[in-house]
Amino acid sequence: VFDRKENVFLASRKSPKQVFYEWNRNLFEKDGEKTDFVEKLFSNTENKFAPAYTRIINKIGKGTNKYVDLFHMIHYLGTLYNSLPQNDIKISKYVQNSNFKDLGFSIKSKNTNKGVSQEEIEKLQIRFKSDLAFEQLIKLWKGITDYLEVDIIEFYKTCKLYHAETDVRLHILGDRPFLLKNEEVSSIYESEFIFPLSKGVTLYRYLGKELKEISAEDRINVDLLIFLQSKHMVCGPDKSYLTAIANVALKYDTQKKIKYLEDKVFKIFEKE
């Protein structure tokens, strides 16, 4: 594990789940008691995806099961993207600029099961929008609503899974895992992107030409960009490879050079 802030390797090896984790991020106090109900909801999504993830990265399954696994993956990507700390401000603005109807909620009286007055709805909106637990919950909810708006079959047709061809899987993971061609999109499904599923498997989502081949140079450039856009931690299975990436990254010391690398990485998506 490489600490970008301190520019050093951590003393001991760790798994990605030990590194890319923020303590108490989904722990909130409600009515004087601490609750992790939001974390349990996120865990439910992760647990459903876990078996599919194992099959995908190990190339297990075909036919119907393969498609179901990919649907789980597509849904999980939307949930994960919205829950990343880098999107906290974006989600906060989304909540503040939306009303219950925009968010897909209908407010009814528990006693009568009928709608309540507009005045009561507006009071509830103010109350909920000031609640950090609600804002965090919306990340999960937005992942679902974004997914439901996607033509899943068409999305699947524009995805390519890259599997490392050798047992020496040198690729890296960072705390900002998505490489997006368009950072301004409201949904992950609206952009071309690159996402490392594991140290040996990477997902490419394209909208231009179909990706026939991904060269070694392309893969190294992806790792380099993942390293550069990571804010704190980067990890990989091979220390010498990660050291080499860290050393090359020093040469990209200006925004202009990083933009040049971004253009180079996403050139693979350009139409012929």
Side-chain angles (χ1 to χ4, degrees), residues 170-189:
L170 301 179
H171 312 311
I172 66 173
L173 304 172
D175 55 30
R176 296 186 63 173
F178 287 91
L179 297 183
L180 267 70
K181 189 173 183 181
N182 181 2
E183 291 279 357
E184 302 303 316
V185 293
S186 62
S187 162
I188 187 67
Y189 308 115

Side-chain angles (χ1 to χ4, degrees), residues 19 23 59 144 171 198 232 240 247 261 267:
V19 177
W23 288 100
K59 298 184 180 179
I144 295 172
H171 312 311
S198 76
H232 192 185
S240 60
N247 288 336
L261 178 63
K267 192 175 181 63

